[in-house]
Amino acid sequence: MADSPSLDPAQLGAYFALIEVTSLLRHAVEQQLREAGDLSYVQFQLLATLGDAPTGSRRMTDLADGVVYSRSALTYQAGLLEKSGLITRAPDPDDERGTMVTITDAGRERLTQVFPGHIEIVKGLLFEPLSADDVQTLAGLLTPVRDHMRATPPRSAAPRRRKRT
Amino acid sequence: MADSPSLDPAQLGAYFALIEVTSLLRHAVEQQLREAGDLSYVQFQLLATLGDAPTGSRRMTDLADGVVYSRSALTYQAGLLEKSGLITRAPDPDDERGTMVTITDAGRERLTQVFPGHIEIVKGLLFEPLSADDVQTLAGLLTPVRDHMRATPPRSAAPRRRKRT
DNA sequence: GAAAGATGCTTCGAATTTGAAGCACATCGA
DNA sequence: TCGATGTGCTTCAAATTCGAAGCATCTTTC
């Protein structure tokens, strides 16, 4: 039977605060990135992900998964970034189907150009009201959640839907 | 001035986890809402916000701010929701410029229709790895951040582009 | 080793989002 | 009261997003 599930007040508060905080933070960051380096948030995420990779390269799919993005949107953005000279695309030697995306020097430059302001925003908005301990705690809480979400059937597991009889 | 700011590892971890958790959660919820009630996340947020209001009504701008949305996008979505009969729009008696948006019975019905599944997802993904205490802690950390962000120069410090002299 | 099925990416069309510009009403100051 | 400016919402064109369909390349399976 439908046992009408619910969230207790603390859960509701946490959930709403989470959504709201992220939305507000994202808007602020988006604006900063646009002004400081003419980048959208997604573009920044892509560059940052690439810059973080040891080789500076990733496959398209890995990028999309990392950023939680549709593949077609990624193709579009990769096209823009390539046209801007911030990344390059080349077929993956190991798998001719795949495309290896690599950040260019210009891409890294853009990152360093935008980073200080970015961090400024994150610090000023997100971390301002939090102590060092708070931050530790927050990370300690969210990391397991992240891992849990990553482990749980991503989004290809909706086939268990059965029609009601 | 340029003190080359940076984030310590814990801050970085918290920041990334926050972004990632929210993205993943949002994707999952989005899918559920679409299946259960043919609603986008934004539409759900709008309905939920209205349903939460004592009178079931809000002004457009308040809605946009609550959901962190551009006004034009809100106009578009309100148009869709109105056409679906989930809300109504009427001029604000107190301020003829303003538009009062009100949730309809059908809108409330739709909410109750999607709510159980929504909560199910949030519980299963977000709260599964968290104890009751954890949730309390999380809410206790995020709420001040939310308030801080709301207090800090809103999202558009330049609501109306004013000519520089 | 070839057909059948997966997988990785792009292309395509439709829906959505956005900022700028526009319109209507409100408010302020002389 | 009038004119100048501010505010609330909508309209508009352009950019971005997504899912479905299409291609090319692997991987099974017999």
Side-chain angles (χ1 to χ4, degrees):
Chain A
M1 282 300 256
D3 53 347
S4 176
S6 66
L7 298 175
D8 63 57
Q11 288 178 321
L12 258 184
Y15 174 42
F16 287 157
L18 180 73
I19 297 297
E20 215 173 325
V21 160
T22 309
S23 291
L24 290 168
L25 180 58
R26 187 168 173 141
H27 268 272
V29 164
E30 202 133 57
Q31 185 174 326
Q32 182 271 320
L33 289 174
R34 182 66 66 193
E35 288 174 9
D38 196 38
L39 290 176
S40 71
Y41 190 62
V42 183
Q43 293 171 336
F44 171 72
Q45 277 187 297
L46 294 176
L47 287 181
T49 303
L50 288 173
D52 197 38
T55 63
S57 307
R58 297 248 171 138
R59 294 186 326 155
M60 290 287 280
T61 291
D62 297 336
L63 270 182
D65 283 349
V67 176
V68 188
Y69 222 51
S70 77
R71 281 85 212 285
S72 43
L74 176 58
T75 295
Y76 176 74
Q77 287 296 341
L80 291 186
L81 289 174
E82 187 176 38
K83 197 177 323 184
S84 302
L86 304 181
I87 65 168
T88 56
R89 278 188 288 187
D92 180 346
D94 297 332
D95 185 338
E96 282 295 322
R97 294 171 300 182
T99 297
M100 269 315 223
V101 180
T102 307
I103 189 172
T104 64
D105 288 343
R108 290 188 189 278
E109 252 178 63
R110 189 69 67 90
L111 268 183
T112 67
Q113 169 188 334
V114 164
F115 238 114
H118 178 76
I119 291 177
E120 207 73 59
I121 295 272
V122 175
K123 272 189 140 153
L125 281 182
L126 176 61
F127 293 128
E128 180 80 359
L130 300 179
S131 72
D133 277 348
D134 288 342
V135 175
Q136 283 286 357
T137 306
L138 184 61
L141 288 175
L142 290 181
T143 303
V145 173
R146 193 253 317 274
D147 295 341
H148 170 66
M149 287 180 172
R150 285 285 188 199
T152 303
R155 37 178 166 156
S156 43
R160 214 67 186 92
R161 261 272 169 275
R162 179 191 288 210
K163 281 205 174 117
R164 298 199 302 163
T165 50
Chain B
M1 274 296 276
D3 50 349
S4 179
S6 66
L7 298 176
D8 61 58
Q11 288 178 321
L12 259 184
Y15 174 43
F16 287 158
L18 180 74
I19 297 297
E20 216 174 324
V21 159
T22 309
S23 291
L24 290 169
L25 181 58
R26 188 171 173 138
H27 268 272
V29 165
E30 201 132 57
Q31 184 174 324
Q32 184 269 321
L33 289 174
R34 182 66 66 193
E35 289 176 10
D38 196 39
L39 290 177
S40 71
Y41 190 61
V42 184
Q43 293 171 335
F44 171 73
Q45 277 186 298
L46 293 175
L47 287 182
T49 303
L50 289 173
D52 196 38
T55 63
S57 307
R58 296 247 171 138
R59 294 186 327 155
M60 290 288 281
T61 292
D62 297 336
L63 269 181
D65 284 349
V67 176
V68 187
Y69 225 52
S70 76
R71 281 86 208 283
S72 42
L74 176 58
T75 294
Y76 176 73
Q77 287 297 340
L80 291 185
L81 288 174
E82 186 176 38
K83 197 177 324 187
S84 302
L86 305 181
I87 65 168
T88 55
R89 278 188 289 189
D92 179 347
D94 297 331
D95 185 341
E96 281 295 324
R97 295 171 300 181
T99 298
M100 271 310 226
V101 181
T102 307
I103 188 171
T104 64
D105 288 343
R108 291 190 189 275
E109 251 178 64
R110 189 69 68 89
L111 269 183
T112 66
Q113 171 186 336
V114 294
F115 237 115
H118 178 77
I119 291 177
E120 207 74 60
I121 296 273
V122 174
K123 273 189 141 154
L125 281 181
L126 177 61
F127 294 127
E128 180 82 359
L130 300 179
S131 71
D133 278 348
D134 288 342
V135 175
Q136 281 287 356
T137 306
L138 185 62
L141 289 174
L142 290 180
T143 302
V145 173
R146 192 256 315 274
D147 295 341
H148 170 66
M149 287 180 171
R150 285 286 188 199
T152 304
R155 50 204 187 78
S156 28
R160 255 333 185 322
R161 203 100 192 109
R162 181 187 298 203
K163 275 188 182 147
R164 298 203 289 171
T165 49

